[in-house]
Structures are given as C-alpha cells and as structure tokens.
DNA sequence: GGGGTCTAGTTACATTGCAACTAGTTTCTT
DNA sequence: AAGAAACTAGTTGCAATGTAACTAGACCCC
C-alpha cells in the first residue's frame, strides 16, 4: 500500500521536517513561504483530508494536543521516520523524471485549427500580454527580501524555473504571432 | 449548470467536429492523431464516462446505432450546436489565459534544500539526460510525414510548444548544474 | 492451437475538487 | 461603541477524476 504522491502530501511532509505542527499552522506556513504558488491547496478541505490520510499511512503521527485557552484544541503532528524516507523518495522521483501532466494549453493548441487564423492570433496576443505580467510578478519575487536580507537563491529555485519556462513560452508565442501576421503560418479553419 | 472544462472533454468535442463517431472510434482517433500526447486518456473508463456526461449535458447527442455483424453495436455521437459553441469558448479561455496547474517539478524544487547539494545535482543531472531524449523525440515528431507529405505546421503547434518549453527547462537545469559544480549555488541541507 | 492484439466495453474503489456551512475571536473603521 | 472584515479552525457533502482489474468475442500470425 504505497501512498500516492502529490504536491500537497510532499509539502506537508516537507514542512514537518521543520518541526511538529498543527494543521492550521501548516496551512499558514504554506502561505507564508509562498508554497501556495507551487502546491495546490485551494480549500482547507484538501489539507485536512490529506493529513488524516498521511496519519493512517503512518507517515505522520499525532502528538500532544496543545491547549491554548483562547483557541480550540490543536493536534500537533510529527513526521515519522517512514515519512521522512518517503519524502526523500518522492523528491528523487520528482526531480529526476520529467512527466507529462497534460496542461491545457498544449491541448488547446492542438485544436487551434478549428478557429480562423485571425482569431487564433488575437487570442494568443491576449495570452502574451498576461504572460508579460506574470513574468514581471515572478521577477519581483526573485528580488524579494526578508528582514532586509535578500532571500537566498536556493530558496527561489522554483521561481527561477517558472520564469525560465514562462519566458520560453512568451518567445514561442511571439514567433507564432509573427508568422501569423506575415502569413507564413496559416490554415483554413474547420474540421481537421 | 456549466460543464467543467477538461482536456478530454475538449478533445471529444474537437474530434466530433470532424463528423459523427462512436466511442471506440474517438479513442482510436485520439491515438492516431497523437492527441494522447496532450490529452489525458489513460483508461478508456474516463472516455466512456465523459461521453455519457457530455450527452447528459446535451453537448453531444447519440444518433443511429451502427450495426456491423462482426462488431458489437456502436452508438454514433454527434456534436450539437451548443457543443460546438462550448468548444469555441473553451478554446478561447484556454488560449488566452495562462493558468497555474501545479506541476510537480516546481513543487519538488521548492523542497530541494532538504537534500545535500551534491544529491540534488545528481538527480537534476538525470533529469537533464531524460529531457535530452524527450526533446529528440519531439523533434522527430516535428519532421513526421503522412503519405510522404510533411505534416503541415499548424497541426504541429502543440509539439513545437512542448519543444520550446523542454529546451528552456534543459537550459535552466544546465545553469543550475553549472552553479552547483562551481559552488556558486549551495546550501546546508536540512529543515528550512 | 497458443499468444498476442484489437474491439468494446463494465465495475468498483480511491482520491481530488469545489462549494457551502459553522462559530468563536480579533482588529479595523467610522 | 457598533458593525464590518479578517483570522482561527474546522466539518459536511457531492461531483468528478484516476486507477485497477475484469469480461469477452474476433482476428492474426506462427
């Protein structure tokens, strides 16, 4: 019964390496450290459910329940040895193995010939603008500081990566837009 | 009751623009036209389920059931006008709006400091090798032919895009590997 | 005639995603 | 000082997806 890997599970295990913590604390850390940019934690629902499942799988264990009068009781979770190990294994798998996760943009591109080329150009133009904004935001993050000190590079690798990919996408779209305008790239819309 | 967008639903609607077809035929088309590279159709289960849901939502309708003696009966599905429209709307949304889909690689990167820098370097080195292979495969596809004719460019945009992104990732990894080797980038492993 | 592959599905369970509801506490605003 | 946000800390429920495994006939090659 191997636990199914997910970015959320990885994040929980990874953050607990930092020391025992209660669910709400984990949620806050995810936000504070910007992990919510790379980990899917929409609702808290997913977080609580994942914690329960991780406990069932004994990758984490419930420790003492803190009692602060002004807050409801909070169960503190610890990483188990197995949890620590699993976290390492997942990291190795994730870092070594490129994997197709079927993002929707390429899927959309593969049906672009259903639209007239002019429409396609307009739509991609809009995407290009949004990408510009996104890249600017990410680059701002790269220069972010904590207590007046710049954040060390090793803590910003994922952002660096996202910039590299977004820039590549923007360049590719530029080339497509160019070829659409010059007519080098065109088609007659309709069923394949 | 708006239908939830997905690459699979898009592919079904998109392929039915081509003419009515039965479920198994759709599955074959997805494979034949390489849409399985950009659309998640692991099991047929998902395909059949999606077709049922699309019919319930009246984006497609069941037409006559073909009867060939040697095959079980096959219900042929048509695209409805609403289906056609929804397909256009989805395409517009997908093409214009970059959206974070939380791939696992950046999530993994964001916990790389749990590993010793040397280990991280080895793991990323492996990824780099696999990326090289993947890029070669994609580039082969770009030069593919059908009936001795090269496939027209507009039908290969999604592959072009994937190459652009993969190349950018490879370059970024190269720079990280370089900085790890020179010691420009390093850290002491362990909890954040 | 045995093994593999293609046709054409179904069943069942695990997991995720998304929306909405509860309820007390603290902080800001006017 | 009253009321509105925002934070703390969850739960419930259903819809959708992912994943595995099973069925079962037809055809194809050696």
């Amino acid at each position: 019964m191997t636990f199914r890997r997910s970015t959320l599970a990885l994040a929980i295990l990874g953050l607990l390496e930092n020391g025992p913590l209660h669910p709400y604390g984990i949620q806050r850390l995810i936000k504070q450290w910007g992990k919510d940019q790379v980990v899917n934690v929409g609702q808290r629902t997913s977080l609580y459910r994942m914690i329960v499942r991780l406990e069932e799988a004994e990758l984490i264990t419930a420790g003492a329940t803190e009692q602060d009068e002004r807050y409801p009781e909070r169960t503190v979770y610890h990483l188990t040895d197995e949890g620590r190990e699993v976290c390492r294994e997942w990291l190795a798998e994730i870092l070594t193995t490129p994997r197709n996760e079927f993002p929707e943009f390429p899927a959309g591109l593969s049906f672009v010939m259903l639209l007239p080329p002019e429409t396609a150009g307009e739509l991609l133009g809009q995407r290009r603008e949004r990408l510009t904004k996104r890249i600017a935001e990410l680059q701002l993050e790269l220069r972010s500081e904590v207590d007046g000190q710049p954040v060390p590079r090793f803590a910003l690798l994922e952002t660096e990566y996202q910039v590299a990919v977004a820039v590549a996408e923007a360049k590719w779209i530029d080339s497509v837009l160019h070829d659409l305008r010059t007519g080098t790239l065109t088609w007659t819309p309709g069923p394949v």
Side-chain angles (χ1 to χ4, degrees), chain A residues 13-47:
Chain A
L13 297 181
L15 290 174
L16 286 182
E17 296 258 5
N18 226 15
L21 206 55
H22 52 95
Y24 195 74
I26 295 176
Q27 196 210 319
R28 265 183 323 187
L29 266 195
I30 289 179
K31 284 222 161 175
Q32 267 173 42
W33 294 357
K35 302 291 181 199
D36 57 337
Q37 297 295 308
V38 285
V39 168
N40 202 350
V41 232
Q43 254 67 20
R44 272 182 307 292
T45 321
S46 4
L47 180 64

Side-chain angles (χ1 to χ4, degrees), chain A residues 63-118:
Chain A
T65 68
E66 261 181 26
Q67 259 302 7
D68 189 323
E69 311 108 59
R70 66 168 137 263
Y71 296 127
E73 69 168 8
R74 299 182 289 192
T75 309
V76 168
Y77 291 90
H78 301 252
L79 199 53
T80 64
D81 289 340
E82 206 192 328
R84 212 176 307 272
E85 204 187 312
V86 164
C87 182
R88 294 297 185 289
E89 283 166 23
W90 285 352
L91 270 178
E93 261 291 301
I94 290 173
L95 294 176
T96 55
T97 313
R99 169 174 132 171
N100 192 350
E101 289 170 73
F102 305 96
E104 49 175 37
F105 183 58
L109 279 178
S110 89
F111 287 100
V112 85
M113 69 288 191
L114 294 174
L115 306 170
E118 311 83 54

Side-chain angles (χ1 to χ4, degrees), chain A residues 1-181:
Chain A
M1 204 260 301
T2 49
F3 201 89
R4 188 145 63 197
R5 192 169 81 209
S6 74
T7 56
L8 181 54
L10 176 75
I12 295 173
L13 297 181
L15 290 174
L16 286 182
E17 296 258 5
N18 226 15
L21 206 55
H22 52 95
Y24 195 74
I26 295 176
Q27 196 210 319
R28 265 183 323 187
L29 266 195
I30 289 179
K31 284 222 161 175
Q32 267 173 42
W33 294 357
K35 302 291 181 199
D36 57 337
Q37 297 295 308
V38 285
V39 168
N40 202 350
V41 232
Q43 254 67 20
R44 272 182 307 292
T45 321
S46 4
L47 180 64
Y48 290 112
R49 249 183 322 204
M50 188 59 80
I51 288 175
V52 168
R53 292 206 311 117
L54 285 169
E55 193 188 3
E56 281 165 11
E58 297 180 43
L59 302 183
I60 64 179
T61 49
T65 68
E66 261 181 26
Q67 259 302 7
D68 189 323
E69 311 108 59
R70 66 168 137 263
Y71 296 127
E73 69 168 8
R74 299 182 289 192
T75 309
V76 168
Y77 291 90
H78 301 252
L79 199 53
T80 64
D81 289 340
E82 206 192 328
R84 212 176 307 272
E85 204 187 312
V86 164
C87 182
R88 294 297 185 289
E89 283 166 23
W90 285 352
L91 270 178
E93 261 291 301
I94 290 173
L95 294 176
T96 55
T97 313
R99 169 174 132 171
N100 192 350
E101 289 170 73
F102 305 96
E104 49 175 37
F105 183 58
L109 279 178
S110 89
F111 287 100
V112 85
M113 69 288 191
L114 294 174
L115 306 170
E118 311 83 54
T119 310
E122 280 163 36
L123 298 173
L124 289 175
Q126 274 188 55
R127 185 186 193 85
R128 177 59 238 241
E129 282 172 35
R130 298 192 182 169
L131 270 175
T132 307
K133 280 185 206 158
R134 172 90 177 121
I135 292 170
E137 283 167 21
L138 289 170
Q139 277 170 340
L140 195 65
E141 223 185 294
L142 285 183
R143 286 192 299 277
S144 64
E145 302 192 346
V146 170
D147 306 325
Q149 299 291 337
V151 175
R153 183 171 170 209
F154 67 78
L156 289 170
L157 288 177
E158 72 277 16
T159 309
E160 261 189 24
Y161 168 82
Q162 287 175 309
V163 170
V165 168
V167 166
E169 180 175 325
K171 279 190 191 159
W172 181 78
I173 291 181
D174 283 341
S175 86
V176 169
L177 288 175
H178 175 265
D179 294 347
L180 278 171
R181 273 192 294 269

